Amino acid sequence: MPLKPDITPPEAQDMRVGFALVGIGKLTSQELIPAARTSEHAYVAALVSGEADKAQGFARALGLGEGDAYTYEQFDELANRDDVQAVYIVLPNSLHREYATRAARMGKHVLCEKPLGVNAEDAQAIVDACREAGVLLMTAYRCQYTPEHWAARDAVQDGMLGPVRLLHSIHAQVEDDPEAWRLKRDLAGGGPLPDVGIYSLNTLRFITGQEPEWVFATQHQPTGDPRFREVEASMSALLGFPDGVSATIQTSYAAHKTTTLSVMGEKGSLTMDPAFPYDGLKLRISSEDGTHEPAFPEYDQFTLEFDHFARCIRSGRAPWTPGEEGVQDHVIMDALYESARTGQVVRLPGSAKADAFRGTKPDLPEK
Ligand code: NAD
């Protein structure tokens, strides 16, 4: 895949924050490496992979040396690299904890892919390890950094839709390969819910700034389909937010690619469709002023994340989506699985204040 062209003049390399990318799968090779090239505040200083050849090939393509490519066995040698200030973990979910903890012990800041772990306890252990080591931790929730999602949040929170009553989101796609790690409970922690359904959950929480107080869920795990021996094929959930606001979330690994989100207020509504791809997001707002589809500047979601975390590292401020934000989604997902298992409503602590688990607001790309 051709690398995207530079769109911003990079700072002198030594002013930017050096990242080691751990795991060179689809996301790293197709999105993160190109995104880092257009980052103003971050660059890839090292790569870590199970295959030495693969890491070296990508290192060469980035203009790095052979010594910048590491195997998983050599991971702890990053401790000797002062130019590597942050480690970006892009591995199957159950490996996040081990590598995040080892990175934190080396004094490296940690950017970790979603979901943060495989359940709330696992994710909390990552937060604790980073806190103990005094390093920053960011959960890579790219949809909390885009101008489209912020415009949706502003429309809701500025009252453009009147009091919000109903929320709805679907994130579904077909997973074909029965051997994929995403379908193995030990590696993934669950099925579509922690992989794609998490976008619905996380983005509705972000847009409202509120936390659900109870959840009810049902899931379907067909017998006889080798893909769903270990995890659910689909889940439908009802979530109760404060003041009687209710949300429905649906997710599936056996339904055609769909990413939508809607918020219905008393005086207006908004829809994002598609709501969660890497680009081409579309927002439509209907209010007393009519219906409009705002225009947004071009940007790369992963570059925005790199830049935000690099700025936080330089200023010592907590990122907008710290580890706590990742743990909160796991607390809710654990409750959704418990509800699906027991057939009961599961109550949650909720939160007394808005944006309870978030840190420093990100800068949005300018028009
Ligand atoms: P992938 O399967 O393409 O790559 C996973 C990488 O992990 C590969 O390089 C593989 O070799 C390595 N690996 C190490 N140990 C492994 C093991 N035991 N089993 C399987 N692979 C192993 O996955 P991906 O799509 O790059 O996903 C990696 C992480 O990124 C996941 O946490 C996923 O949820 C997240 N992700 C996030 C987004 C996003 O939009 N933010 C998109 C895709 C994936």
Side-chain angles (χ1 to χ4, degrees):
M1 183 174 168
L3 295 174
K4 294 176 191 174
D6 282 356
I7 53 171
T8 48
E11 296 172 9
Q13 186 113 327
D14 57 8
M15 284 292 292
R16 288 186 283 160
V17 172
F19 281 73
L21 305 187
V22 188
I24 313 180
K26 204 170 157 198
L27 186 69
T28 299
S29 58
Q30 296 185 6
E31 305 299 331
L32 304 182
I33 289 176
R37 290 174 74 96
T38 65
S39 166
E40 224 180 311
H41 303 287
Y43 71 101
V44 176
L47 291 158
V48 186
S49 164
E51 299 150 65
D53 288 355
K54 183 157 107 182
Q56 283 182 7
F58 278 100
R60 266 195 305 279
L62 276 166
L64 300 176
E66 259 190 33
D68 299 318
Y70 295 78
T71 60
Y72 296 130
E73 291 70 36
Q74 296 167 322
F75 179 75
D76 294 321
E77 293 175 21
L78 288 172
N80 306 321
R81 292 283 300 264
D82 291 344
D83 58 333
V84 174
Q85 290 163 269
V87 167
Y88 190 167
I89 296 160
V90 203
L91 292 165
N93 310 339
S94 66
L95 300 174
H96 293 180
R97 177 177 176 173
E98 178 192 337
Y99 284 89
T101 305
R102 284 164 67 183
R105 286 193 189 129
M106 287 189 261
K108 309 294 182 192
H109 303 287
V110 178
L111 175 55
C112 186
E113 261 310 326
K114 47 54 63 181
L116 187 55
V118 292
N119 54 42
E121 189 191 347
D122 189 52
Q124 184 62 48
I126 297 177
V127 170
D128 293 344
C130 290
R131 191 173 296 150
E132 203 171 300
V135 299
L136 295 179
L137 169 63
M138 170 167 151
T139 315
Y141 284 130
R142 57 185 171 76
C143 292
Q144 292 202 36
Y145 295 89
T146 81
E148 287 89 344
H149 291 97
W150 273 89
R153 174 181 153 107
D154 288 346
V156 167
Q157 298 199 11
D158 293 349
M160 197 187 281
L161 312 182
V164 168
R165 305 295 187 213
L166 305 172
L167 309 162
H168 179 52
S169 180
I170 302 175
H171 197 169
Q173 64 191 38
V174 174
E175 185 63 57
D176 283 325
D177 176 8
E179 299 313 314
W181 67 259
R182 285 182 161 78
L183 297 171
K184 307 293 169 206
R185 178 163 294 282
D186 281 355
L187 284 165
L193 177 63
D195 189 32
V196 293
I198 192 172
Y199 285 92
S200 296
L201 172 60
N202 185 259
T203 311
L204 292 182
R205 291 180 46 245
F206 161 69
I207 284 176
T208 58
Q210 302 293 321
E211 300 301 328
E213 296 168 330
W214 56 264
V215 301
F216 178 76
T218 61
Q219 66 180 27
H220 178 54
Q221 190 172 349
T223 51
D225 187 328
R227 295 176 298 169
F228 304 117
R229 272 196 287 258
E230 299 185 23
V231 299
E232 77 280 5
S234 306
M235 178 181 274
S236 294
L238 186 59
L239 296 86
F241 282 78
D243 303 320
V245 175
S246 70
T248 47
I249 287 178
Q250 292 182 297
T251 187
S252 180
Y253 268 162
H256 188 254
K257 181 79 185 169
T258 307
T259 77
T260 67
L261 176 158
S262 305
V263 181
M264 279 67 68
E266 202 170 307
K267 295 186 172 167
S269 62
L270 67 80
T271 298
M272 291 187 74
D273 186 1
F276 308 124
Y278 301 150
D279 45 40
L281 302 173
K282 281 207 168 55
L283 170 65
R284 195 174 65 246
I285 303 176
S286 298
S287 66
E288 287 173 330
D289 301 334
T291 297
H292 69 292
E293 292 188 8
F296 297 95
E298 278 196 26
Y299 60 87
D300 182 304
Q301 295 179 10
F302 298 99
T303 307
L304 296 180
E305 286 187 296
F306 270 122
D307 280 340
H308 177 69
F309 194 43
R311 282 198 189 102
C312 289
I313 289 170
R314 286 213 302 247
S315 63
R317 289 176 304 168
W320 174 246
T321 54
E324 288 78 358
E325 174 72 359
V327 172
Q328 174 64 1
D329 277 331
H330 277 294
V331 167
I332 300 165
M333 291 190 294
D334 288 356
L336 288 168
Y337 280 126
E338 184 188 335
S339 175
R341 199 176 58 246
T342 60
Q344 302 292 315
V345 167
V346 176
R347 307 233 157 243
L348 290 162
S351 166
K353 61 173 189 151
D355 292 323
F357 303 97
R358 304 191 176 98
T360 313
K361 282 195 177 169
D363 291 329
L364 296 176
E366 285 168 19
K367 290 197 181 171

